Coordinates of all heavy atoms in Angstrom, one line a residue:
M1 N 0.8 -1.2 0.0 CA 0.0 0.0 0.0 C 0.9 1.3 0.0 O 0.6 2.2 -0.7 CB -0.9 0.0 1.2 CG -2.0 1.0 1.1 SD -3.2 0.4 0.1 CE -4.6 1.4 0.4
K2 N 1.9 1.3 0.8 CA 2.8 2.4 0.9 C 3.5 2.6 -0.5 O 3.6 3.7 -0.9 CB 3.9 2.2 2.0 CG 4.7 3.4 2.3 CD 5.6 3.1 3.4 CE 6.4 4.3 3.7 NZ 7.3 4.1 4.8
R3 N 3.9 1.6 -1.1 CA 4.5 1.7 -2.4 C 3.6 2.3 -3.5 O 4.1 3.1 -4.3 CB 5.0 0.3 -2.9 CG 5.8 0.4 -4.1 CD 6.4 -1.0 -4.4 NE 7.2 -1.0 -5.6 CZ 8.5 -0.9 -5.6 NH1 9.2 -0.9 -4.5 NH2 9.2 -0.8 -6.7
L4 N 2.3 2.0 -3.4 CA 1.4 2.6 -4.4 C 1.3 4.1 -4.1 O 1.2 4.9 -5.1 CB 0.0 2.0 -4.2 CG -1.1 2.5 -5.1 CD1 -0.7 2.3 -6.5 CD2 -2.4 1.9 -4.8
G5 N 1.4 4.6 -2.9 CA 1.4 6.0 -2.6 C 2.6 6.7 -3.2 O 2.5 7.8 -3.8
V6 N 3.8 6.2 -3.1 CA 5.0 6.8 -3.7 C 4.9 6.8 -5.3 O 5.2 7.8 -5.9 CB 6.2 6.0 -3.3 CG1 7.5 6.5 -4.0 CG2 6.5 6.1 -1.8
R7 N 4.4 5.7 -5.8 CA 4.2 5.7 -7.3 C 3.2 6.7 -7.7 O 3.4 7.4 -8.7 CB 3.8 4.3 -7.7 CG 3.7 4.1 -9.2 CD 3.3 2.7 -9.6 NE 4.3 1.8 -9.1 CZ 4.2 0.5 -9.1 NH1 3.0 -0.1 -9.4 NH2 5.1 -0.3 -8.6
A8 N 2.1 6.8 -7.0 CA 1.1 7.8 -7.4 C 1.7 9.2 -7.3 O 1.4 10.1 -8.1 CB -0.1 7.7 -6.5
L9 N 2.5 9.5 -6.3 CA 3.2 10.8 -6.1 C 4.1 11.1 -7.3 O 4.1 12.2 -7.8 CB 3.9 10.8 -4.8 CG 4.6 12.1 -4.4 CD1 3.6 13.2 -4.3 CD2 5.4 12.0 -3.1
V10 N 4.9 10.1 -7.7 CA 5.8 10.3 -8.8 C 5.0 10.6 -10.1 O 5.4 11.4 -10.9 CB 6.7 9.0 -9.0 CG1 7.5 9.1 -10.3 CG2 7.7 8.9 -7.8
V11 N 3.9 9.8 -10.3 CA 3.1 10.0 -11.5 C 2.5 11.4 -11.5 O 2.5 12.1 -12.5 CB 2.0 8.9 -11.6 CG1 1.0 9.3 -12.7 CG2 2.7 7.6 -11.9
A12 N 2.0 11.8 -10.3 CA 1.4 13.2 -10.2 C 2.4 14.2 -10.5 O 2.1 15.2 -11.1 CB 0.8 13.3 -8.8
A13 N 3.6 14.1 -10.0 CA 4.7 15.1 -10.2 C 5.0 15.2 -11.7 O 5.2 16.2 -12.3 CB 5.9 14.7 -9.4
G14 N 5.1 14.0 -12.4 CA 5.4 14.0 -13.8 C 4.3 14.7 -14.6 O 4.5 15.4 -15.5
V15 N 3.0 14.4 -14.2 CA 1.9 15.1 -14.9 C 1.9 16.6 -14.7 O 1.8 17.4 -15.6 CB 0.5 14.4 -14.4 CG1 -0.6 15.3 -14.9 CG2 0.4 13.0 -14.9
A16 N 2.2 17.0 -13.5 CA 2.3 18.4 -13.1 C 3.4 19.1 -13.9 O 3.2 20.2 -14.5 CB 2.5 18.6 -11.7
A17 N 4.5 18.4 -14.0 CA 5.7 19.0 -14.8 C 5.3 19.1 -16.3 O 5.6 20.1 -16.9 CB 6.9 18.1 -14.6
T18 N 4.6 18.1 -16.8 CA 4.2 18.1 -18.2 C 3.2 19.3 -18.5 O 3.4 20.0 -19.5 CB 3.6 16.8 -18.6 OG1 4.6 15.7 -18.4 CG2 3.2 16.8 -20.1
V19 N 2.3 19.4 -17.6 CA 1.3 20.4 -17.8 C 2.0 21.8 -17.7 O 1.7 22.7 -18.5 CB 0.2 20.3 -16.7 CG1 -0.7 21.6 -16.6 CG2 -0.7 19.1 -16.9
C20 N 2.9 22.0 -16.7 CA 3.6 23.3 -16.6 C 4.4 23.6 -17.9 O 4.4 24.8 -18.4 CB 4.5 23.3 -15.4 SG 3.6 23.4 -13.8
T21 N 5.0 22.6 -18.5 CA 5.8 22.8 -19.7 C 4.9 23.2 -20.8 O 5.2 24.1 -21.6 CB 6.6 21.5 -20.0 OG1 7.4 21.2 -18.9 CG2 7.4 21.7 -21.3
V22 N 3.8 22.5 -21.0 CA 2.9 22.8 -22.1 C 2.3 24.2 -21.9 O 2.3 25.0 -22.9 CB 1.7 21.7 -22.1 CG1 0.6 22.2 -23.1 CG2 2.3 20.4 -22.6
V23 N 1.9 24.6 -20.7 CA 1.4 25.9 -20.5 C 2.4 27.0 -20.8 O 2.2 28.0 -21.5 CB 0.9 26.1 -19.1 CG1 0.6 27.5 -18.7 CG2 -0.4 25.2 -18.9
A24 N 3.7 26.8 -20.4 CA 4.8 27.7 -20.6 C 5.0 27.8 -22.1 O 5.2 29.0 -22.7 CB 6.0 27.3 -19.9
L25 N 5.0 26.7 -22.8 CA 5.3 26.8 -24.3 C 4.2 27.4 -25.1 O 4.4 28.2 -26.0 CB 5.5 25.4 -24.8 CG 6.9 24.7 -24.4 CD1 6.9 23.3 -24.9 CD2 8.1 25.5 -24.9
R26 N 2.9 27.2 -24.6 CA 1.8 27.8 -25.3 C 1.8 29.3 -25.1 O 1.5 30.1 -26.0 CB 0.5 27.2 -24.8 CG 0.3 25.8 -25.4 CD -1.1 25.4 -25.3 NE -1.9 26.2 -26.2 CZ -3.2 26.2 -26.3 NH1 -3.9 25.4 -25.6 NH2 -3.8 27.0 -27.2
Q27 N 2.1 29.8 -23.9 CA 2.2 31.2 -23.7 C 3.3 31.8 -24.5 O 3.1 32.9 -25.0 CB 2.4 31.4 -22.2 CG 1.3 31.2 -21.3 CD 1.6 31.5 -19.8 OE1 2.7 31.6 -19.4 NE2 0.5 31.5 -19.0
D28 N 4.4 31.2 -24.7 CA 5.5 31.7 -25.5 C 5.1 31.9 -26.9 O 5.4 32.9 -27.6 CB 6.7 30.8 -25.3 CG 7.9 31.5 -25.9 OD1 8.1 32.7 -25.8 OD2 8.7 30.8 -26.6
T29 N 4.4 30.9 -27.5 CA 4.0 30.9 -28.9 C 2.8 31.8 -29.2 O 2.6 32.2 -30.3 CB 3.8 29.5 -29.5 OG1 2.8 28.9 -28.7 CG2 5.1 28.7 -29.4
S30 N 1.9 32.0 -28.2 CA 0.7 32.7 -28.4 C 0.9 34.2 -28.2 O 0.1 35.0 -28.5 CB -0.4 32.2 -27.4 OG 0.0 32.5 -26.1
A31 N 2.1 34.6 -27.8 CA 2.4 36.0 -27.6 C 2.4 36.7 -29.0 O 2.7 36.1 -30.0 CB 3.7 36.2 -26.9
S32 N 2.1 38.0 -28.9 CA 2.1 38.7 -30.2 C 3.5 38.8 -30.8 O 4.4 38.9 -30.0 CB 1.5 40.1 -30.0 OG 2.3 40.8 -29.1
P33 N 3.6 38.6 -32.1 CA 4.9 38.6 -32.7 C 5.6 40.0 -32.5 O 4.9 41.0 -32.5 CB 4.7 38.3 -34.1 CG 3.2 38.6 -34.4 CD 2.5 38.5 -33.1
V34 N 6.9 39.9 -32.4 CA 7.7 41.2 -32.2 C 7.9 41.8 -33.6 O 8.3 41.2 -34.5 CB 9.0 40.9 -31.5 CG1 9.9 42.1 -31.4 CG2 8.8 40.3 -30.2
S35 N 7.6 43.1 -33.7 CA 7.7 43.8 -34.9 C 9.2 44.1 -35.1 O 9.9 44.4 -34.2 CB 7.0 45.1 -34.9 OG 5.6 44.8 -34.8
P36 N 9.7 44.0 -36.4 CA 11.1 44.4 -36.6 C 11.3 45.8 -36.3 O 10.4 46.7 -36.5 CB 11.3 44.1 -38.1 CG 10.0 44.0 -38.7 CD 9.0 43.6 -37.6
P37 N 12.5 46.2 -35.9 CA 12.8 47.6 -35.6 C 12.7 48.5 -36.9 O 12.9 48.0 -38.0 CB 14.2 47.6 -35.1 CG 14.8 46.4 -35.6 CD 13.7 45.4 -35.7
E38 N 12.3 49.7 -36.7 CA 12.2 50.6 -37.8 C 13.6 50.9 -38.3 O 14.5 51.1 -37.5 CB 11.5 52.0 -37.4 CG 10.0 51.8 -37.1 CD 9.2 51.5 -38.3 OE1 9.5 52.0 -39.4 OE2 8.3 50.6 -38.2
P39 N 13.8 51.0 -39.6 CA 15.1 51.3 -40.1 C 15.6 52.7 -39.7 O 14.7 53.6 -39.6 CB 15.0 51.2 -41.6 CG 13.6 51.1 -41.9 CD 12.8 50.8 -40.7
R40 N 16.8 52.8 -39.4 CA 17.4 54.1 -39.1 C 17.3 55.0 -40.3 O 17.2 54.6 -41.5 CB 18.8 54.0 -38.7 CG 19.0 53.2 -37.4 CD 20.4 53.1 -36.9 NE 21.4 53.6 -37.8 CZ 22.7 53.3 -37.7 NH1 23.1 52.4 -36.8 NH2 23.6 53.8 -38.5
S41 N 17.3 56.3 -40.1 CA 17.1 57.3 -41.2 C 18.3 57.2 -42.2 O 18.2 57.7 -43.3 CB 16.9 58.7 -40.7 OG 18.0 59.1 -39.9
D42 N 19.5 56.8 -41.7 CA 20.6 56.7 -42.6 C 20.8 55.4 -43.3 O 21.9 55.1 -43.8 CB 21.9 57.2 -41.8 CG 22.2 56.2 -40.7 OD1 21.2 55.5 -40.2 OD2 23.4 56.1 -40.3
T43 N 19.8 54.6 -43.3 CA 19.8 53.3 -44.0 C 18.7 53.2 -45.0 O 17.7 53.9 -44.9 CB 19.7 52.1 -43.0 OG1 18.5 52.2 -42.3 CG2 20.9 52.1 -42.0
S44 N 18.9 52.2 -45.9 CA 17.8 52.0 -46.9 C 17.7 50.5 -47.1 O 18.6 49.7 -46.9 CB 18.1 52.7 -48.2 OG 19.2 52.2 -48.7
T45 N 16.5 50.1 -47.5 CA 16.3 48.7 -47.8 C 15.5 48.6 -49.0 O 14.8 49.5 -49.4 CB 15.5 48.0 -46.6 OG1 14.2 48.6 -46.5 CG2 16.2 48.0 -45.3
S46 N 15.6 47.4 -49.7 CA 14.7 47.1 -50.8 C 14.7 45.6 -51.0 O 15.6 44.9 -50.7 CB 15.3 47.8 -52.1 OG 16.6 47.3 -52.4
D47 N 13.6 45.2 -51.5 CA 13.4 43.7 -51.8 C 13.7 43.5 -53.3 O 13.0 44.2 -54.2 CB 12.0 43.3 -51.5 CG 11.7 43.3 -50.0 OD1 12.7 43.0 -49.3 OD2 10.5 43.5 -49.6
V48 N 14.6 42.7 -53.6 CA 15.0 42.4 -55.0 C 14.8 40.9 -55.3 O 15.3 40.1 -54.5 CB 16.5 42.8 -55.3 CG1 16.9 42.5 -56.7 CG2 16.7 44.3 -54.9
Q49 N 14.1 40.6 -56.3 CA 13.9 39.2 -56.7 C 14.8 38.9 -57.9 O 14.5 39.6 -59.0 CB 12.4 38.9 -57.0 CG 11.5 39.2 -55.8 CD 11.8 38.2 -54.6 OE1 12.1 37.0 -54.8 NE2 11.8 38.7 -53.4
R50 N 15.7 38.1 -57.8 CA 16.6 37.8 -59.0 C 16.4 36.3 -59.3 O 16.2 35.4 -58.5 CB 18.0 38.0 -58.6 CG 18.4 39.4 -58.2 CD 18.9 40.1 -59.3 NE 19.4 41.4 -58.8 CZ 19.2 42.5 -59.5 NH1 18.7 42.6 -60.6 NH2 19.7 43.7 -59.0
D51 N 16.5 36.0 -60.6 CA 16.5 34.6 -61.1 C 17.9 34.0 -60.7 O 18.9 34.6 -60.9 CB 16.4 34.6 -62.6 CG 16.3 33.2 -63.1 OD1 16.2 32.2 -62.3 OD2 16.2 33.1 -64.4
R52 N 17.8 32.9 -60.0 CA 19.0 32.2 -59.5 C 20.0 32.0 -60.6 O 21.2 32.1 -60.4 CB 18.6 30.8 -58.9 CG 19.7 30.0 -58.4 CD 19.3 28.7 -57.9 NE 20.4 27.9 -57.5 CZ 20.6 27.4 -56.3 NH1 19.6 27.6 -55.4 NH2 21.6 26.7 -56.0
R53 N 19.6 31.6 -61.9 CA 20.5 31.4 -62.9 C 21.3 32.6 -63.3 O 22.5 32.6 -63.6 CB 19.8 30.8 -64.1 CG 19.3 29.4 -63.9 CD 18.4 28.9 -64.9 NE 17.2 29.8 -64.9 CZ 16.0 29.4 -65.2 NH1 15.8 28.2 -65.7 NH2 15.0 30.2 -65.2
D54 N 20.6 33.8 -63.3 CA 21.3 35.1 -63.6 C 22.3 35.4 -62.6 O 23.4 35.8 -62.9 CB 20.2 36.2 -63.7 CG 19.3 36.1 -64.8 OD1 19.6 35.4 -65.8 OD2 18.2 36.8 -64.8
V55 N 22.0 35.1 -61.3 CA 23.0 35.4 -60.3 C 24.2 34.5 -60.4 O 25.3 34.9 -60.3 CB 22.3 35.2 -58.9 CG1 23.4 35.3 -57.8 CG2 21.2 36.2 -58.7
E56 N 24.0 33.2 -60.7 CA 25.1 32.2 -60.8 C 25.9 32.6 -62.1 O 27.2 32.4 -62.0 CB 24.5 30.8 -61.0 CG 24.0 30.3 -59.7 CD 23.3 29.0 -59.8 OE1 22.9 28.5 -60.9 OE2 23.0 28.4 -58.7
R57 N 25.3 33.1 -63.1 CA 26.1 33.5 -64.3 C 26.9 34.7 -64.0 O 28.1 34.9 -64.4 CB 25.2 33.8 -65.5 CG 24.8 32.5 -66.2 CD 24.1 32.9 -67.6 NE 22.9 33.6 -67.4 CZ 21.7 33.0 -67.4 NH1 21.6 31.7 -67.4 NH2 20.6 33.7 -67.2
Y58 N 26.4 35.6 -63.2 CA 27.1 36.9 -62.8 C 28.3 36.6 -62.0 O 29.4 37.1 -62.2 CB 26.2 37.9 -62.2 CG 26.9 39.2 -61.8 CD1 27.1 40.2 -62.7 CD2 27.4 39.3 -60.5 CE1 27.7 41.3 -62.3 CE2 28.0 40.5 -60.1 CZ 28.2 41.5 -61.0 OH 28.9 42.6 -60.7
W59 N 28.1 35.8 -60.9 CA 29.2 35.6 -60.0 C 30.1 34.5 -60.4 O 30.1 33.4 -60.0 CB 28.6 35.2 -58.6 CG 28.1 36.5 -57.9 CD1 26.8 36.8 -57.8 CD2 28.9 37.5 -57.4 NE1 26.7 38.0 -57.1 CE2 28.0 38.5 -56.9 CE3 30.2 37.8 -57.3 CZ2 28.4 39.7 -56.3 CZ3 30.7 39.0 -56.7 CH2 29.7 39.9 -56.2
T60 N 31.0 34.8 -61.4 CA 32.0 33.9 -61.9 C 33.1 33.7 -60.9 O 33.2 34.5 -59.9 CB 32.6 34.5 -63.2 OG1 33.3 35.7 -62.9 CG2 31.6 34.7 -64.3
D61 N 34.0 32.8 -61.1 CA 35.1 32.6 -60.1 C 35.9 33.8 -60.0 O 36.3 34.2 -58.8 CB 35.9 31.4 -60.5 CG 35.2 30.0 -60.4 OD1 34.2 30.0 -59.6 OD2 35.6 29.0 -61.0
S62 N 36.2 34.5 -61.1 CA 37.1 35.6 -61.0 C 36.4 36.8 -60.2 O 37.0 37.5 -59.4 CB 37.5 36.1 -62.4 OG 36.4 36.5 -63.1
R63 N 35.1 36.9 -60.4 CA 34.4 38.0 -59.7 C 34.3 37.6 -58.2 O 34.4 38.5 -57.3 CB 32.9 38.1 -60.2 CG 32.8 39.0 -61.4 CD 31.4 39.5 -61.7 NE 31.4 40.5 -62.7 CZ 30.6 40.5 -63.8 NH1 29.8 39.5 -63.9 NH2 30.7 41.4 -64.6
M64 N 34.1 36.4 -57.8 CA 34.1 36.0 -56.5 C 35.5 36.2 -55.8 O 35.5 36.7 -54.6 CB 33.8 34.5 -56.3 CG 32.3 34.2 -56.6 SD 31.2 34.9 -55.4 CE 31.6 33.9 -54.0
E65 N 36.6 36.0 -56.5 CA 37.9 36.2 -56.0 C 38.2 37.7 -55.7 O 38.9 38.1 -54.8 CB 39.0 35.6 -56.9 CG 39.0 34.1 -56.9 CD 40.0 33.6 -57.9 OE1 40.7 34.4 -58.6 OE2 39.9 32.4 -58.2
E66 N 37.6 38.6 -56.6 CA 37.8 40.0 -56.4 C 36.8 40.7 -55.5 O 37.0 41.9 -55.3 CB 37.8 40.6 -57.8 CG 38.9 40.2 -58.7 CD 38.8 40.7 -60.2 OE1 37.9 41.5 -60.4 OE2 39.6 40.3 -61.0
A67 N 35.8 40.0 -55.1 CA 34.7 40.6 -54.3 C 35.3 41.0 -53.0 O 36.2 40.4 -52.4 CB 33.6 39.6 -54.1
E68 N 34.8 42.2 -52.5 CA 35.1 42.7 -51.2 C 33.8 42.8 -50.3 O 32.8 43.1 -50.9 CB 35.8 44.0 -51.3 CG 37.1 44.0 -52.0 CD 37.8 45.3 -52.0 OE1 37.4 46.2 -51.3 OE2 38.8 45.4 -52.8
P69 N 33.9 42.6 -49.0 CA 32.7 42.7 -48.2 C 32.2 44.2 -48.2 O 32.9 45.1 -48.4 CB 33.2 42.4 -46.8 CG 34.6 41.8 -46.9 CD 35.1 42.3 -48.3
A70 N 30.9 44.3 -48.2 CA 30.2 45.6 -48.1 C 30.5 46.2 -46.8 O 30.7 45.6 -45.8 CB 28.7 45.4 -48.3
P71 N 30.7 47.6 -46.8 CA 31.0 48.2 -45.5 C 29.8 48.2 -44.6 O 28.6 48.3 -45.1 CB 31.3 49.7 -46.0 CG 30.6 49.8 -47.3 CD 30.6 48.5 -47.9
M72 N 30.0 47.9 -43.4 CA 28.9 47.8 -42.4 C 28.8 49.1 -41.6 O 29.8 49.7 -41.3 CB 29.2 46.6 -41.4 CG 29.2 45.3 -42.1 SD 27.5 44.8 -42.6 CE 27.6 44.9 -44.3
P73 N 27.6 49.5 -41.2 CA 27.4 50.7 -40.4 C 28.0 50.5 -39.1 O 28.1 49.4 -38.5 CB 25.9 50.9 -40.4 CG 25.4 49.6 -40.7 CD 26.4 48.8 -41.6
T74 N 28.5 51.6 -38.4 CA 29.0 51.5 -37.1 C 28.0 52.3 -36.2 O 27.4 53.2 -36.6 CB 30.4 52.1 -37.0 OG1 30.3 53.5 -37.5 CG2 31.4 51.4 -37.8
E75 N 27.9 51.8 -34.9 CA 27.1 52.5 -34.0 C 27.8 53.8 -33.5 O 29.0 53.8 -33.3 CB 26.9 51.7 -32.7 CG 26.0 50.5 -33.0 CD 24.6 50.8 -33.4 OE1 24.0 51.8 -32.8 OE2 24.0 50.2 -34.3
E76 N 27.1 54.9 -33.4 CA 27.6 56.2 -33.0 C 27.3 56.5 -31.6 O 26.4 56.1 -31.0 CB 27.1 57.3 -33.9 CG 27.6 57.1 -35.4 CD 27.0 58.1 -36.3 OE1 26.7 59.2 -35.8 OE2 26.9 57.9 -37.5

């Protein structure tokens, strides 16, 4: 009889842990999505759709070797 009590306690603790985990995960995914930050006034963005084949034709081995990283903005 005593053994059944310990087993029931372990099962109840497992169920409680599972319920807590599910509740925590649901709260995290149901939160409103975070909006991306507004671009700074000294930056610009654009969406460009290119055909993959055109890009592969443009970036030849010699162009890849001569390519330099784009300058990155610094925090002021």
Side-chain angles (χ1 to χ4, degrees):
M1 194 77 166
K2 187 175 184 181
R3 185 169 181 103
L4 181 62
V6 172
R7 186 176 298 164
L9 182 62
V10 169
V11 169
V15 169
T18 302
V19 168
C20 289
T21 302
V22 169
V23 169
L25 290 174
R26 288 201 64 187
Q27 285 179 347
D28 188 42
T29 58
S30 65
S32 61
V34 176
S35 300
E38 291 294 321
R40 296 181 353 198
S41 62
D42 61 339
T43 62
S44 62
T45 62
S46 63
D47 291 328
V48 178
Q49 300 295 321
R50 302 264 188 216
D51 184 4
R52 179 185 175 124
R53 292 171 295 213
D54 291 339
V55 173
E56 289 172 346
R57 279 193 293 270
Y58 178 83
W59 286 106
T60 61
D61 289 339
S62 61
R63 278 197 170 130
M64 288 295 289
E65 289 173 10
E66 295 174 4
E68 295 182 15
M72 294 289 111
T74 58
E75 291 295 324
E76 295 178 26

